[in-house]
Structures are given as structure tokens and as C-alpha cells.
Amino acid sequence: MTSFFAFGVSSSAEAAALLPVKPSPYLVSAITRNMFKVPEPDDDLVILSAHRGSWEIYPENSAYALQDAWNSQIESVEVDARFTADKEVVLSHDYRIDRVSTGSGFLYNQNFSQLSRTDLRDRHGRVFTDSQGHKAKFLTFSAALDLLAQYVSDDGRGYVMIVDVKAAVDDQDPTDPIELMQHCLDNSRDQGER
């Protein structure tokens, strides 16, 4: 497993926010400086990070989970990136989709269009439906970056996304983690250019 950091940049984001967007009080540069700083013995360094977003309330790695973490002023969120069969980068911790969605089988055997037809489950195994009747869906990495961009202001305030790039899980899984990381980096660059 390999991780890298995606820093939000202000842009005209295409992903629609599912929850209200609350501005960030944090300077992204301060978060990242603290993440990479070697602490002194007397430092009281704590960086808040939501693993897979607010998975206790919403389906993990979903737009709802990410937005809720940011709206709760969590400095960073950790997400998991995997390839679909058609090389779309989606957020999913599991290589099988059975636990997290109404679908079944290996994620790497499914095209994104197939994943789009499934609904995400919460930590209790229930299909999540919001108050407007919308169901949570698999989120592409690109859409996650678009959501993050809505929380980043022109004055440098915002949040940090930590991306856990998942490797192949068996002999049938064609995932090359270097290629997957490159796709994530390319998406990050493209998002910054918008």
C-alpha cells in the first residue's frame, strides 16, 4: 500500500455538494507543515484525520462521509483508491464490493457504470438514504477532489486528503499500484488546472 497527499485547490468544482459546505478555519500550509515536521520532544502535535471519512455516520469513502468530516473541521481525511475494470479510480477500501454496497464481486472486475447502479451501505449493512431520498453511491477520485475544492478558499484555507493507493489483491487483479498512483496524480493536476 502506498499513500500520497492531495491538497485542495480553489476551482470551479463540478461535483455537487450533498451536504452544506462549511468554510475551513485551517490553513492548508499549516496542516501540511505539521504533517511533515519532525516533532520536538515537548511538542504536543495532534492532527485530526478521519479514516474513510465519517464512516460511523455515513457509508465509508462516500461524498457524505467526506463532507461530514470536513464540516466537522477534521483537518484531513484518508480515502482508499482502487481501479475499476475500465481504469476509473474510485474510492473503496475493500476489493470486494459486497460489504459496502448492494453489488457483489471484485471491484476490479466491474466497470464504473456497473458500480454506479449499486447503492452504498452504512457500517450496519443498511442501504444509506438521505433525507431527500438520495442514496450514497461509489465516488470517483476526481469527484472527491471536486468536493475537496469546494472547501478550499483563495486565501489558502481548507483541508488535506490522504490517499491510500491499493495494490493488487490476487493473481487475477491487474492493478499496478504505480499506474494507479499516476492516475491519482494526473487527476489532482487536472483538477488544479480547472
Side-chain angles (χ1 to χ4, degrees):
M1 310 310 165
T2 307
S3 294
F4 80 94
F5 302 91
F7 310 106
V9 291
S10 185
S11 76
S12 58
E14 294 177 8
L18 298 170
L19 300 174
V21 174
K22 297 180 184 175
S24 170
Y26 302 115
L27 287 172
V28 172
S29 59
I31 298 171
T32 56
R33 185 174 44 252
N34 285 335
M35 291 175 104
F36 297 110
K37 169 181 139 179
V38 177
E40 297 295 324
D42 294 335
D43 279 356
D44 189 17
L45 176 63
V46 175
I47 295 175
L48 298 176
S49 186
H51 186 69
R52 303 180 204 165
S54 295
W55 63 268
E56 306 90 349
I57 302 167
Y58 298 104
E60 62 187 56
N61 282 311
S62 70
Y64 293 97
L66 301 183
Q67 282 197 260
D68 186 68
W70 293 321
N71 285 340
S72 301
Q73 297 186 347
I74 305 288
E75 294 161 291
S76 69
V77 295
E78 178 271 351
V79 297
D80 304 284
R82 292 189 180 279
F83 267 141
T84 60
D86 54 351
K87 298 287 187 179
E88 183 69 56
V89 180
V90 296
L91 303 187
S92 179
H93 175 270
D94 296 6
Y95 62 95
R96 292 190 61 90
I97 64 171
D98 308 65
R99 178 183 68 85
V100 297
S101 78
T102 56
S104 65
F106 295 107
L107 190 138
Y108 62 78
N109 282 338
Q110 317 231 3
N111 289 327
F112 184 68
S113 63
Q114 293 170 290
L115 290 179
S116 298
R117 292 191 292 270
T118 67
D119 299 319
L120 293 181
R121 299 180 188 276
D122 66 17
R123 69 184 180 125
H124 302 291
R126 297 180 298 238
V127 171
F128 173 80
T129 306
D130 71 13
S131 60
Q132 280 77 47
H134 301 116
K135 297 191 183 323
K137 298 291 187 177
F138 278 97
L139 189 62
T140 65
F141 180 66
S142 181
L145 289 174
D146 286 344
L147 282 174
L148 176 60
Q150 295 177 65
Y151 288 87
V152 178
S153 60
D154 290 335
D155 67 357
R157 297 189 185 281
Y159 300 100
V160 173
M161 189 177 346
I162 302 167
V163 183
D164 187 352
V165 175
K166 300 296 190 180
V169 296
D170 60 28
D171 291 343
Q172 304 302 310
D173 187 346
T175 301
D176 173 1
I178 302 300
E179 180 186 13
L180 178 54
M181 181 177 285
Q182 188 61 57
H183 271 68
C184 290
L185 291 169
D186 291 345
N187 277 322
S188 297
R189 182 201 63 230
D190 294 346
Q191 205 282 337
E193 292 175 355
R194 287 192 214 144

